[in-house]
């Protein structure tokens, strides 16, 4: 495992840092989180700026429009972006971190030529249509049906938790193309244009007050057979490629943000009054904050190990699942600590003072993170699913009875 920058990575770090230092201060304020057209415009503009500067798809191969950087250089880019307070991937998440990488490994040349450049330039936004009301953790039980009719599939069914569906141009969609096959063998992976007739999008309001997710209702939606990625009924294998990206370094930016939240929470704890002192005077609380900080440091080392393995051509399923499982747990405990430290300020998503008569502090981000932790235990495979993966594929334990 490489914990220090190589000479090439150190040079790349200085180059990226200089560009970010010059560019990030010129950006406009972020839009209202409930204004989805404005959020799409903001996020795709940032993606276009990255493309023009040569930093779009840092870890994508050059032949597909990326920078062709090493996994270590990609990690450097993510680390420096977080340090500079650059915009996160936003609505480009599914296209850049799921759909695009899946097409690189599994797509046909014509699919790659059509979609990859537009994803990198921020011209198209993707959403994910995997989960269903009756098939969440047991995704292979999905029921959305695709019936072959000439050169089209006719798709009918329902999806839920469809990220960014309200502003997406395309959806990575899992459908059942053979209802008589074993459930893992009758699935296909399709690219669905979101302007196709028969699609209804119903936004879902989250506890944070935003509508990041939506329900999709599909009523005889016609999708060209040419939009299938991989062979018919081989979609579960293709989906495993998607999952490997979802559970791997796609969460690195979030983890770096969490490390920043620990530093902010420490600063807030030194200001929040408790009797004749501050919250930080509590030795037990300091110990808990230190444990969370140490575990995030450990996850950062695990990330570097995973990246080192990826640089040697190994894609670690175990590393991704272990990261996801531990990160979800740490995020929960960080949120619990924030609630205890902020006290009444933890009841609002807005920034509030933590001292009598003081100015508002950065409390809102802590509350948002606490609520987001609820989703992190479910997204990209529930914690129970990650435990099963580790038990079966790493420890060699028997499969869970069906």
């Amino acid at each position: 495992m490489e914990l220090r920058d190589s000479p090439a990575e150190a040079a790349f770090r200085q180059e990226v840092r200089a560009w970010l230092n010059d560019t990030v201060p010129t950006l406009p304020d972020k839009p209202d989180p409930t204004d989805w057209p404005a959020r799409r415009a903001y996020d795709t503009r940032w993606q276009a700026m990255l493309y023009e500067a040569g930093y779009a798809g840092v870890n994508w191969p050059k032949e597909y429009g990326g920078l062709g950087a090493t996994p270590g250089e990609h990690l450097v880019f993510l680390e420096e972006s977080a340090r500079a307070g650059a915009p996160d991937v936003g609505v480009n998440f599914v296209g850049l971190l799921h759909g695009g990488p899946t097409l690189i490994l599994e797509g046909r040349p014509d699919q790659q030529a059509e979609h990859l450049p537009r994803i990198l330039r921020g011209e198209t936004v993707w959403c994910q249509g995997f989960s269903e009301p009756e098939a969440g953790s047991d995704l292979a039980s999905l029921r959305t049906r695709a019936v072959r009719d000439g050169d089209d599939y006719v798709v009918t069914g329902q999806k839920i938790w469809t990220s960014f569906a309200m502003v997406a141009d395309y959806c990575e969609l899992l459908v059942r193309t053979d209802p008589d096959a074993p459930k893992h063998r009758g699935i296909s992976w399709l690219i669905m244009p979101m302007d196709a007739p028969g699609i209804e999008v119903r936004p879902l309001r989250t506890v944070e007050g935003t509508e990041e997710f939506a329900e999709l209702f599909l009523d005889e939606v016609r999708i060209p057979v040419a939009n299938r990625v991989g062979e018919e009924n081989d979609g579960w294998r293709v989906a495993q490629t998607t999952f490997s990206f979802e559970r791997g370094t796609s969460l690195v930016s979030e983890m770096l943000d969490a490390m920043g939240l620990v530093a902010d929470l420490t600063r807030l704890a030194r200001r929040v009054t408790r009797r004749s002192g501050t919250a930080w005077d509590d030795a037990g609380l300091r110990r808990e904050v230190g444990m969370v900080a140490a575990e995030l440091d450990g996850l950062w080392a695990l990330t570097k190990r995973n990246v080192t393995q990826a640089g040697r051509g190994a894609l670690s399923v175990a590393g991704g699942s272990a990261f996801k499982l531990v990160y979800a747990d740490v995020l929960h405990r960080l949120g619990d600590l924030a609630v205890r430290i902020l006290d009444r300020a933890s009841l609002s998503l807005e920034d509030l003072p933590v001292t009598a008569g003081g100015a508002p502090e950065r409390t809102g981000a802590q509350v948002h993170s606490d609520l987001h932790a609820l989703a992190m235990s479910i997204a990209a495979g529930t914690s129970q699913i990650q435990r099963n993966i580790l038990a079966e594929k790493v420890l060699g334990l028997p499969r869970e009875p069906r």
Side-chain angles (χ1 to χ4, degrees):
M1 177 173 65
E2 301 296 336
L3 293 176
R4 295 181 176 86
D5 288 348
S6 68
E9 289 167 353
F12 183 66
R13 185 183 297 278
Q14 293 303 315
E15 172 194 319
V16 170
R17 180 175 295 182
W19 183 79
L20 289 169
N21 286 345
D22 289 341
T23 306
V24 171
T26 69
L27 298 177
D29 292 338
K30 291 183 179 181
D32 186 317
T34 63
D35 187 344
W36 279 99
R39 286 183 63 174
R40 172 179 169 133
Y42 184 90
D43 292 344
T44 55
R45 177 176 180 265
W46 174 245
Q47 182 61 30
M49 294 173 69
L50 290 173
Y51 182 83
E52 292 169 3
Y55 295 124
V58 170
N59 61 330
W60 286 25
K62 288 184 178 180
E63 58 265 35
Y64 301 113
L67 187 60
T70 66
E73 289 168 339
H74 181 219
L75 205 60
V76 165
F77 178 80
L78 295 175
E79 189 176 12
E80 288 301 315
S81 294
R83 183 202 62 80
D88 60 25
V89 71
V91 302
N92 300 302
F93 183 90
V94 177
L96 281 170
L97 304 182
H98 298 178
T102 301
L103 289 179
I104 287 172
L105 292 181
E106 302 287 348
R108 299 190 312 272
D110 61 304
Q111 294 170 333
Q112 295 166 344
E114 179 181 0
H115 293 288
L116 297 180
R118 292 195 288 166
I119 291 171
L120 284 183
R121 292 194 295 261
E123 294 174 357
T124 57
V125 171
W126 286 52
C127 63
Q128 185 180 78
F130 284 11
S131 295
E132 297 183 5
E134 302 299 326
S137 296
D138 186 15
L139 180 58
S141 296
L142 63 90
R143 299 177 182 178
T144 294
R145 181 82 177 272
V147 178
R148 181 77 175 260
D149 181 24
D151 292 333
D152 292 335
Y153 289 111
V154 180
V155 180
T156 298
Q158 181 183 353
K159 296 292 180 177
I160 198 167
W161 313 125
T162 308
S163 306
F164 312 121
M166 64 292 297
V167 292
D169 303 295
Y170 294 96
C171 177
E172 52 178 23
L173 187 71
L174 290 183
V175 296
R176 187 158 299 284
T177 41
D178 186 350
D180 299 322
K183 64 181 184 179
H184 291 86
R185 298 179 185 173
I187 293 171
S188 296
W189 201 108
L190 303 180
I191 303 170
M192 181 174 71
M194 289 296 289
D195 59 356
I199 300 175
E200 181 183 357
V201 178
R202 297 183 190 174
L204 294 170
R205 184 172 292 275
T206 70
V207 69
E208 294 184 70
T210 64
E211 295 175 341
E212 179 177 332
F213 304 110
E215 293 178 284
L216 281 186
F217 293 87
L218 310 175
D219 183 12
E220 297 189 349
V221 179
R222 300 188 76 89
I223 302 174
V225 173
N227 286 24
R228 188 186 66 228
V229 177
E231 297 299 319
E232 186 170 282
N233 300 325
D234 192 34
W236 186 253
R237 184 193 62 79
V238 177
Q240 297 307 305
T241 300
T242 310
F243 300 150
S244 71
F245 295 117
E246 189 175 29
R247 295 166 186 165
T249 55
S250 66
L251 295 174
V252 168
S253 294
E254 278 204 16
M255 188 190 68
L256 291 168
D257 289 341
M259 296 171 83
L261 287 171
V262 172
D264 281 350
L265 191 61
T266 300
R267 179 184 58 80
L268 289 169
R270 296 177 187 275
R271 293 179 54 78
V272 173
T273 56
R274 290 285 191 274
R275 299 183 178 85
S276 59
T278 67
W280 194 245
D281 294 334
D282 184 338
L285 184 142
R286 294 199 304 273
R287 186 180 303 111
E288 290 184 67
V289 172
M291 286 294 295
V292 167
E295 289 194 56
L296 286 172
D297 281 343
L299 283 172
W300 184 241
L302 174 61
T303 298
K304 292 206 168 190
R305 178 178 182 270
N306 291 342
V307 165
T308 300
Q309 288 182 330
R312 295 169 181 164
L315 191 63
S316 172
V317 173
S321 289
F323 175 93
K324 170 65 172 57
L325 177 64
V326 176
Y327 176 65
D329 177 68
V330 173
L331 204 62
H332 274 289
R333 287 190 283 120
L334 175 59
D336 290 344
L337 279 170
V339 168
R340 287 162 50 195
I341 290 171
L342 298 180
D343 198 31
R344 286 177 294 179
S346 68
L347 299 177
S348 174
L349 292 166
E350 304 296 326
D351 289 340
L352 295 177
V354 295
T355 57
E361 304 272 4
R362 283 175 42 84
T363 60
Q366 301 286 342
V367 182
H368 276 285
S369 178
D370 182 37
L371 296 175
H372 180 63
L374 300 173
M376 191 49 58
S377 297
I378 301 170
T382 65
S383 293
Q384 291 89 341
I385 290 292
Q386 307 305 333
R387 290 187 178 94
N388 281 348
I389 291 172
L390 292 169
E392 294 169 11
K393 296 189 176 182
V394 179
L395 301 179
L397 296 178
R399 291 180 64 85
E400 184 178 18
R402 301 298 181 185

